[in-house]
Amino acid sequence: QVRLVESGGGLVQAGGSLRLSCAASGSTSDILVMGWHRQAPGQQRGLVAAINKGGSTNYADFVKGRFTISRDNAKNTVYLQMNSLKAEDTAVYSCNALGYGMNSWGQGTQVTVSS
């Protein structure tokens, strides 16, 4: 199994930026895809962005052009650079790791964007 620890959340004004980090430990060689998901109050959790071991990325339409996911394989860390933040980006952001027989989640980090 893999343990995921997120950091970097906080309060920011609309138009500002934040960078989230997700550090993986444990059976990291089994990870195929890492992603960021978010859940706002009263809404279901949904995919924000994902990156596979080869570096290919996938983004939700509502973050394209504003968010960038990247991966440092040497540090077993995934980043989510969030620019031009909007009030509707307010949510708990959670890191996810998928692999062979693996589906691990971090504890989540709160991102609050004030308008």
Side-chain angles (χ1 to χ4, degrees):
Q1 283 297 325
V2 167
R3 180 170 181 257
L4 303 173
V5 178
E6 300 107 331
S7 60
L11 174 64
V12 64
Q13 288 188 332
S17 299
L18 281 175
R19 189 176 84 152
L20 306 182
S21 299
C22 173
S25 60
S27 302
T28 57
S29 60
D30 293 336
I31 298 174
L32 296 177
V33 180
M34 293 189 72
W36 287 96
H37 300 246
R38 74 185 190 187
Q39 184 170 22
Q43 297 184 16
Q44 289 189 331
R45 184 167 59 188
L47 176 70
V48 175
I51 185 167
N52 67 16
K53 206 166 188 175
S56 296
T57 58
N58 182 40
Y59 294 93
D61 287 342
F62 52 80
V63 302
K64 284 182 180 178
R66 299 189 299 126
F67 291 10
T68 302
I69 190 170
S70 61
R71 180 170 181 165
D72 186 334
N73 289 331
K75 295 183 178 180
N76 294 313
T77 300
V78 169
Y79 305 96
L80 184 68
Q81 177 66 44
M82 304 186 294
N83 299 327
S84 301
L85 283 161
K86 307 175 182 179
E88 51 264 43
D89 293 319
T90 295
V92 175
Y93 285 71
S94 299
C95 181
N96 171 253
L98 292 173
Y100 300 110
M102 174 204 305
N103 184 8
S104 298
W105 291 90
Q107 81 284 358
T109 185
Q110 177 69 45
V111 171
T112 302
V113 184
S114 62
S115 56

